[in-house]
């Protein structure tokens, strides 16, 4: 069995009285039998079944009743992973972005664009303020005069991107890759570059920027 000291094991240990149908040897357990097969399958192979959230909630109650703590932890981990994955689903596609940037003035303020590939696009003057941009690919994109104020771009890729005169104030760029990026005249006030890769980047106006753990090997500090 996957877990020792189970309630099921205790029930059939002979220490407790069970309600047994004498003719066929059936034992009555006062629980909903809907998910009991999942309990048995877990004890056999240890695999968490694929269920809807509402069914996971029901199975979790059964796991807690039968004191299957490892199963309960597995269900909670699966639900948390599903929630994280849903948060990282972008509201737009690359094609949607391309259609939008053909307009004169483009705003993507407050949107979730996580994980999109926006590399090599002309995104100059686009407003990404307050948006979720985690793990977005901006490699070789033109982001001149774009706005990233208070955006969450943790882990995003800006390799060799042009970010001249960009407003990145208050943005989260922790762990972002900005190697070779041009941030000349960009507003980096109170921006977090903690753990970011800034190798060979062109930097200016770093007042108040957080640089703990950032790799700045070969970075060019341009005087104002």
């Amino acid at each position: 069995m996957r877990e020792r000291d189970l309630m099921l094991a205790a029930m059939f240990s002979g220490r407790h009285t069970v309600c047994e149908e004498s003719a066929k040897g059936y034992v009555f357990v006062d629980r909903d039998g809907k998910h009991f097969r999942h309990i048995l399958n877990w004890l056999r192979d240890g695999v968490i079944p694929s269920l809807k959230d509402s069914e996971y909630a029901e199975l979790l109650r059964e796991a807690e009743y039968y004191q299957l703590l490892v199963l309960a932890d597995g269900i909670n981990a699966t639900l948390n992973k599903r929630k994280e994955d849903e948060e990282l689903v972008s509201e737009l596609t690359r094609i949607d972005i391309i259609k939008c940037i053909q307009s004169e003035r483009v705003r993507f303020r407050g949107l979730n664009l996580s994980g999109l590939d926006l590399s090599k696009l002309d995104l100059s003057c686009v407003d990404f303020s307050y948006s979720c941009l985690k793990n977005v690919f901006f490699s070789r994109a033109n982001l001149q005069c774009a706005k990233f104020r208070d955006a969450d771009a943790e882990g995003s890729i800006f390799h060799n991107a042009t970010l001249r005169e960009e407003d990145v104030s208050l943005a989260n760029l922790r762990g972002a890759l900005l190697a070779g990026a041009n941030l000349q005249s960009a507003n980096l006030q109170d921006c977090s570059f903690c753990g970011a890769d800034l190798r060979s980047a062109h930097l200016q106006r770093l007042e108040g920027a957080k640089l703990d753990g950032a790799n700045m090997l070969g970075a060019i500090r341009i005087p104002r």
Side-chain angles (χ1 to χ4, degrees):
M1 286 191 174
R2 295 285 156 182
E3 304 186 43
R4 299 187 179 278
D5 303 322
L6 300 180
M7 176 177 286
L8 285 172
M11 287 173 61
F12 295 97
S13 66
R15 301 192 305 269
H16 304 278
T17 301
V18 295
C19 183
E20 185 175 353
E21 202 283 315
S22 57
K24 296 184 178 180
Y26 295 160
V27 174
F28 174 73
V29 180
D30 189 15
R31 300 296 295 177
D32 189 341
K34 177 181 177 182
H35 295 297
F36 193 66
R37 66 186 181 92
H38 297 311
I39 298 293
L40 292 179
N41 287 335
W42 163 258
L43 293 174
R44 292 185 184 110
D45 51 38
V47 176
I48 303 293
S50 297
L51 302 172
K52 298 178 181 178
D53 286 0
S54 59
E55 293 176 321
Y56 272 134
E58 295 170 358
L59 181 58
L60 184 60
R61 286 195 293 272
E62 297 306 301
E64 291 171 347
Y65 174 79
Y66 291 111
Q67 299 178 9
L68 300 171
L69 303 183
V70 177
L71 174 57
D73 290 343
I75 293 169
N76 285 321
T78 299
L79 288 171
N80 290 335
K81 178 65 165 58
R82 181 175 291 180
K83 183 178 180 181
E84 291 174 1
D85 290 344
E86 289 174 352
E87 291 175 350
L88 292 176
V89 175
S90 174
E91 297 178 58
L92 298 174
T93 66
R94 179 182 172 92
I95 293 175
D96 293 330
I97 300 293
I98 292 173
K99 290 179 179 177
C100 289
I101 60 178
Q102 294 172 358
S103 304
E104 290 185 7
R105 189 174 183 180
V106 184
R107 292 183 179 180
F108 296 121
R109 295 167 66 95
L111 293 180
N112 183 356
L113 304 177
S114 299
L116 281 185
D117 179 3
L118 302 181
S119 60
K120 302 179 182 179
L121 294 180
D122 183 359
L123 301 168
S124 55
C125 301
V126 172
D127 190 349
F128 292 102
S129 299
Y130 313 106
S131 293
C132 182
L133 304 169
K134 289 184 177 180
N135 303 316
V136 172
F137 287 83
F138 289 109
S139 296
R140 301 184 184 279
N142 179 12
L143 293 159
Q144 184 164 343
C145 297
K147 294 182 180 179
F148 282 76
R149 181 177 178 81
D150 210 5
D152 186 358
E154 183 172 350
S156 288
I157 310 297
F158 293 89
H159 183 253
N160 288 331
T162 298
L163 298 96
R164 291 171 57 93
E165 302 175 50
E166 181 181 60
D167 183 3
V168 200
S169 56
L170 300 171
N172 175 21
L173 287 161
R174 298 175 65 91
L177 173 60
L178 294 113
N182 186 346
L183 292 103
Q184 187 173 352
S185 300
N187 180 8
L188 309 178
Q189 182 71 35
D190 294 324
C191 176
S192 176
F193 289 106
C194 297
D197 186 346
L198 292 163
R199 288 174 298 171
S200 303
H202 292 67
L203 304 171
Q204 193 175 17
R205 298 175 66 181
L206 284 171
E207 296 88 345
K210 301 176 180 66
L211 298 164
D212 297 343
N215 185 348
M216 300 183 64
L217 181 66
I220 302 173
R221 300 287 292 271
I222 303 171
R224 297 183 62 179

